[in-house]
Amino acid sequence: MSASAPILEVRDLHVSYGSIAAVKGISFEVATGETVCLIGANGAGKTTTLKALARLLPAHGTLHFDGHSLLHRPAHELIGAGMTLVPEGRGIFARLTVAENLDMGAYCRSDRAGIDADRDRVFGLLPRLKERARQVAGTLSGGEQQMLAIGRALMSRPRLLLLDEPSMGLAPMMVQKVFEVIRSVAAQGVTILLVEQNARLALSVASRGYVMESGGITLSDSAPALLANPGVREAYLGE
């Protein structure tokens, strides 16, 4: 576990869909500046966990972001507080241009000079978006839309970026490019909590990881240790 102070602390988190318990009392934390991943099979509760953190689902337990409770905080306040979710399926504004999507990421900001500087930074990180700035976002490829979703999130200047299944539905070459972007974002000091079914890729960019099964956390360790773990290798790495 990192010596840095945790920016996110989760204790005994429970989330249900009606009478069905989807997340069953999990606990974990993410230190400032870390990249941490949640890996596990489809249906393990990973996306539900992120939605609970983003306050898109009701939850019980202890959720602290930057030392403050999240449980009674509305979702729309979190971006201004420094937490941003890139949802599964990307969730771009399909009828807006690339540039307009990026502007939407900065909707809660009023520092025009800073917004312009951050747009230039995003275009530097994601040059393909600069080439397509005037293009309608719905006409982009899946990989380009994923990059746009990440770029839009960065426009809010997040201190904690929640990434939900960024490789889903993408061609292998585009998956590699998206994960190169994730590495670059982490290198700039943004804390990342990554949910990803591709365990090998997730562990290649993370410092630590948690394995989720049937709504619980069954294993946690450093990323290298999880990559070397025989059970993880058999269950999630196809070995």
Side-chain angles (χ1 to χ4, degrees):
M1 188 171 294
S2 171
S4 300
I7 192 170
L8 178 70
E9 295 179 272
V10 177
R11 297 286 179 266
D12 197 29
L13 175 65
H14 292 261
V15 188
S16 297
Y17 295 97
S19 61
I20 300 172
V23 176
K24 306 169 184 176
I26 66 172
S27 298
F28 66 93
E29 63 184 43
V30 181
T32 302
E34 266 194 313
T35 297
V36 172
C37 64
L38 299 178
I39 62 173
N42 193 29
K46 307 183 304 297
T47 289
T48 298
T49 298
L50 288 197
K51 286 183 175 180
L53 294 177
R55 308 311 302 127
L56 299 176
L57 289 174
H60 301 282
T62 300
L63 301 178
H64 281 158
F65 171 61
D66 200 23
H68 301 283
S69 177
L70 291 174
L71 276 183
H72 302 295
R73 197 159 191 176
H76 68 269
E77 289 185 359
L78 296 185
I79 290 180
M83 180 193 294
T84 305
L85 169 67
V86 178
E88 180 182 0
R90 301 179 278 277
I92 60 161
F93 298 101
R95 297 185 180 182
L96 300 183
T97 66
V98 166
E100 288 168 339
N101 267 270
L102 293 179
D103 285 344
M104 288 299 293
Y107 80 94
C108 62
R109 298 172 56 185
S110 57
D111 55 322
R112 176 50 55 186
I115 291 170
D116 291 343
D118 283 345
R119 187 187 302 106
D120 289 342
R121 182 169 67 97
V122 168
F123 281 152
L125 181 66
L126 303 164
R128 191 169 297 201
L129 296 185
K130 185 174 183 179
E131 297 169 6
R132 291 159 170 73
R134 297 181 183 274
Q135 187 170 330
V136 174
T139 65
L140 299 175
S141 71
E144 290 165 347
Q145 290 183 14
Q146 185 64 64
M147 291 182 182
L148 177 56
I150 294 172
R152 182 184 60 189
L154 293 177
M155 289 297 295
S156 68
R157 287 192 178 176
R159 289 180 296 124
L160 175 61
L161 185 61
L162 309 177
L163 289 174
D164 193 3
E165 301 285 7
S167 77
M168 180 175 287
L170 302 186
M173 183 177 296
M174 192 56 74
V175 169
Q176 293 297 330
K177 290 182 178 179
V178 167
F179 270 77
E180 287 171 11
V181 170
I182 293 171
R183 289 186 182 92
S184 296
V185 171
Q188 294 177 358
V190 178
T191 306
I192 297 174
L193 177 58
L194 169 66
V195 157
E196 176 59 57
Q197 274 190 267
N198 188 325
R200 188 183 302 278
L201 265 179
L203 292 168
S204 76
V205 299
S207 57
R208 294 189 299 114
Y210 295 88
V211 178
M212 287 195 72
E213 295 180 7
S214 302
I217 289 176
T218 58
L219 185 63
S220 66
D221 213 329
S222 69
L226 289 175
L227 280 168
N229 184 290
V232 171
R233 294 173 72 90
E234 179 179 358
Y236 303 111
L237 305 183
E239 298 181 6

